[in-house]
Amino acid sequence: MTGTRIAALGHYQPAKVLTNDDLAALVDTSDAWITSRVGIRTRHVAGPEEPVDELAAHAAGKALAAAGLTPADIDLVLVATSTAIDRSPNTAARVAARLGMASPATMDLNVVCAGFTHALATADHAIRAGAARRALVIGADKMTEVTDWTDRTTCVLVGDGAGAAVVEATEPGDGATAAIGPVLWGSVPEMGHAVRIEGTPPRFAQEGQAVYRWATQKLPALARQVCERSGIAPEELAGVVLHQANLRIVEPLAAKIGAVNAVVARDVVDSGNTSAASVPLALSKLVERGELPSGAPVLLFGFGGNLSYAGQVVRVP
């Protein structure tokens, strides 16, 4: 049976950086307050002339270059985002147009902070079923555009960015190198109120304590199930890349999962919460810096809006 792998990764963040001291000039907060509660020090902010599809296209272009491919080699584009303002053309179609693609299938997925891992699973399934050969899977969000900058509980959290992966088919006998493992996904619909982007204009809001309790209490067991589905013991993981929501969530979870030998992504410190971009952004940076060896197993786990979640073990390209 045809399998799949991540062939290459890419990421992009806007040039403008907003520090905690910058935020302290806008709302009643401080660097000490922010770092003690969520661990964030800086975040990147896109300007009004930088829409979500532009962020996504930059990351996708870098992933294609790293894979040694051209846009013509891609027949499926999936973009995970919850901050695209326009309904049509969708973000994936706009990315395809920016990259000059001929006739790919183009779809957006809105699963908020769990979007990328949902999209990665969808690409894996499409390729395994023979519906696509190579896919661009992108997580991109412009959270600053849906932020209330007078609300100190949320405006200190968010940042903008994009991460992308080229996913391609493997043939029998290729081995496990860069393979994408089975997904574990689901949601807690009755807790949909815990993370919201609602209204006109849309604004991000959340019940931080509810999300924190759920993530710290429920996520470790779910993450261990992901490892079981891939036949990987947690102590064999080389890396753990969780949704970068809060350093106080991210840091303890690797220990609770049992990933005692893993490099744990802490990109939230520099990038803030970039929603669907956070997992591919953090993974791409770890690979770019050489902190994860090629072929090593890494746990990806996204969670957030609807209290949706999705995770899989992948091999580093």
Side-chain angles (χ1 to χ4, degrees), residues 167-305:
V167 178
E168 63 183 12
T170 60
E171 299 302 333
D174 280 358
T177 302
I180 299 173
V183 69
L184 174 75
W185 53 11
S187 66
V188 189
E190 67 270 21
M191 291 187 67
H193 55 83
V195 182
R196 308 180 303 280
I197 302 176
E198 295 177 328
T200 306
R203 288 292 176 260
F204 165 55
Q206 70 171 11
E207 297 172 16
Q209 286 302 311
V211 175
Y212 178 82
R213 285 193 299 271
W214 178 86
T216 54
Q217 294 172 11
K218 302 296 185 182
L219 194 149
L222 294 171
R224 287 192 291 270
Q225 288 182 50
V226 175
C227 294
E228 289 172 11
R229 290 191 176 195
S230 291
I232 296 287
E235 59 269 21
E236 295 178 289
L237 291 169
V240 172
V241 183
L242 306 172
H243 166 51
Q244 302 290 292
N246 183 330
L247 198 61
R248 290 174 58 209
I249 294 175
V250 168
E251 285 192 320
L253 283 178
K256 290 184 177 181
I257 292 166
V260 293
N261 300 309
V263 174
V264 180
R266 295 176 173 86
D267 189 52
V268 65
V269 175
D270 302 314
S271 302
N273 181 343
T274 56
S275 193
S278 78
V279 168
L281 187 60
L283 177 62
S284 180
K285 286 184 179 182
L286 288 176
V287 172
E288 184 179 73
R289 293 195 299 260
E291 296 184 38
L292 294 170
S294 178
V298 178
L299 170 68
L300 309 182
F301 203 99
F303 58 92

